[in-house]
Amino acid sequence: GQCLATTADRNGNGWIAIREYAMKLCANARNSRRRSIIFLSLTLCLGLSRPAFALDEAKVHVAGTPNITSFVYHVGKEKGFYREEGIEIQPIMAGMLQGIQGLIGGSFDYSQMLGQGGSAIMRGAPLKIVMAFDSRPSWFLLGTKNMKTIQDLRGKQLAVSSFGAALDQMTRELLPRFGMEPMRNVILPAVDPPPNRLAAFLSGAVDSAVLTHPETLVARRQGFSQLLFFGDHLEFVSAGVVATERNITQKADFVRRFIRGALKTFYWLKENEKEVVARLAKATKSSEADGLELYRTGFKLFSQDGAISRRLQERMIALQRKVLNIEKEVPPESVYDFSFVRTGNKELGKGESS
């Protein structure tokens, strides 16, 4: 008959079930010889078929800078959480716009970039946001050494990401709160990916820049001024999982298992501060103290369970409609689908999504 290992590799608890099944068969066997044959057959099936089973490959568009949200992919791969679900994950760095275009075209199976992904959906791309890692942004606004407050940005260039991406949307939302109009009082050149933005800022090519937390540590060490932390002022969802509608409808089990792997990693990151701090320090080539700062800042920004409330969904849609000049109403259901997260949380015994 067909080996049970195939089923087991697609189910996180399948290997335990096979062992229990083997024991029951052995207990019911009529004699020791038959017992030995059954046990040996199942052991061989379990031991030999698992590595031979072809895992489903998942190519994921990820950010270029290491951070706690991208760890949901990188650490999940190292820890084997996706392999437990029968998936071989391949995190691949690409620009935000190029990555989303690749997702639509089939070069990627998923993307981490919810800002650019949401913008594409609003323009009609056949995508859905199926998991949210954060509910507040982890970006920092840095200025030259002689800048003291955000008001010093007037008449200056502030480097952000590509138009319509999460960072661009957040910056355009934030500046008016301080009495400045984007592109009128402050010019917003697009500089991607983030390492290029840091290089442009450090070289003096731009007056200020919005940087990731690891890049902010680098700039601060060189005496540049931290003017603002976005997470203190905004609710915004920027990292998670964007999937194609094609996969959601035609390969729902693939998406379900991928989200289970992401949820396992998501909760592991929340529960293992010491190891994550060490990994962050190593990935960013920084000190243990810096790693701890990265972790504790990132921890506060995490969503509760991989989903966001309908209120925040509506707020994100309203913001993106404003930035993209979209007049028509856009219901949350056309952008977000957290059903896989709710199912995964229930299967893993975690709290239900709001």
Side-chain angles (χ1 to χ4, degrees):
Q2 185 177 3
C3 180
L4 295 175
T6 300
T7 302
D9 238 327
R10 294 181 179 274
N11 186 326
N13 300 317
W15 299 105
I16 297 174
I18 286 180
R19 293 188 186 97
E20 291 176 350
Y21 181 58
M23 296 303 294
K24 287 179 181 179
L25 284 177
C26 289
N28 294 332
R30 293 183 178 179
N31 54 63
S32 59
R33 182 179 179 185
R34 183 181 176 188
R35 227 179 5 250
S36 299
I37 293 172
I38 291 174
F39 188 79
L40 178 60
S41 298
L42 286 173
T43 299
L44 287 172
C45 180
L46 181 64
L48 296 178
S49 296
R50 188 174 189 178
F53 178 72
L55 301 176
D56 292 324
E57 185 180 51
K59 295 180 179 178
V60 185
H61 166 224
V62 299
T65 303
N67 57 54
I68 197 167
T69 53
S70 66
F71 269 23
V72 177
Y73 297 120
H74 294 291
V75 174
K77 177 181 175 69
E78 294 172 15
K79 287 288 183 180
F81 292 130
Y82 293 94
R83 288 182 68 88
E84 290 176 0
E85 301 299 329
I87 290 174
E88 186 65 62
I89 184 173
Q90 298 294 346
I92 301 171
M93 291 183 290
M96 294 186 183
L97 183 59
Q98 293 86 349
I100 294 299
Q101 289 173 340
L103 178 63
I104 296 170
S107 300
F108 293 104
D109 298 295
Y110 303 98
S111 173
Q112 176 188 343
M113 310 305 179
L114 302 196
Q116 196 73 51
S119 295
I121 294 169
M122 303 280 274
R123 293 189 178 106
L127 308 172
K128 284 284 176 63
I129 293 171
V130 295
M131 185 172 176
F133 300 159
D134 54 18
S135 58
R136 286 186 174 273
S138 59
W139 298 94
F140 293 77
L141 199 160
L142 278 289
T144 56
K145 298 175 183 179
N146 61 346
M147 288 185 179
K148 302 302 178 186
T149 72
I150 192 171
Q151 297 299 331
D152 293 330
L153 290 175
R154 287 184 179 275
K156 302 293 195 300
Q157 288 189 332
L158 170 59
V160 294
S161 57
S162 58
F163 176 76
L167 180 52
D168 177 67
Q169 295 173 32
M170 284 185 280
T171 306
R172 291 171 185 271
E173 169 79 0
L174 196 58
L175 287 175
R177 299 187 185 189
F178 295 89
M180 291 176 282
E181 287 298 318
M183 304 307 290
R184 177 177 296 176
N185 304 120
V186 183
I187 305 302
L188 302 177
V191 183
D192 256 340
N196 291 355
R197 192 155 57 248
L198 174 64
F201 175 57
L202 296 180
S203 70
V206 293
D207 307 296
S208 57
V210 183
L211 304 176
T212 66
H213 200 161
E215 292 159 354
T216 296
L217 295 176
V218 173
R220 285 197 323 222
R221 289 191 204 105
Q222 298 188 34
F224 290 94
S225 302
Q226 180 181 313
L227 303 178
L228 183 136
F229 175 50
F230 277 50
D232 288 337
H233 300 272
L234 292 172
E235 280 186 299
F236 201 96
V237 185
S238 59
V241 182
V242 185
T244 63
E245 290 185 346
R246 180 178 60 254
N247 277 348
I248 291 172
T249 56
Q250 298 179 13
K251 300 173 68 177
D253 183 63
F254 177 49
V255 179
R256 182 188 69 82
R257 290 183 287 116
F258 184 86
I259 293 299
R260 275 177 57 99
L263 283 170
K264 288 178 180 180
T265 316
F266 179 77
Y267 290 116
W268 183 90
L269 291 172
K270 286 188 171 189
E271 296 162 3
N272 292 272
E273 177 182 289
K274 185 176 181 180
E275 185 172 344
V276 180
V277 166
R279 286 174 175 269
L280 281 168
K282 181 179 180 181
T284 59
K285 299 179 181 178
S286 57
S287 67
E288 196 82 1
D290 286 342
L292 183 60
E293 179 186 334
L294 290 168
Y295 177 82
R296 292 188 174 172
T297 300
F299 183 89
K300 290 187 294 185
L301 307 177
F302 265 143
S303 64
Q304 181 178 350
D305 60 3
I308 57 173
S309 67
R310 187 177 182 87
R311 176 192 62 79
L312 185 50
Q313 293 176 41
E314 291 172 344
R315 185 190 179 286
M316 291 295 301
I317 289 172
L319 174 60
Q320 290 173 316
R321 286 178 59 199
K322 179 180 177 182
V323 171
L324 301 172
N325 294 316
I326 294 175
E327 295 183 0
K328 68 176 182 179
E329 292 292 327
V330 179
E333 292 77 14
S334 67
V335 180
Y336 301 93
D337 179 0
F338 293 121
S339 60
F340 294 99
V341 166
R342 289 192 289 270
T343 299
N345 277 325
K346 185 175 181 180
E347 292 173 348
L348 297 172
K350 300 295 183 180
E352 291 193 11
S353 309
S354 54

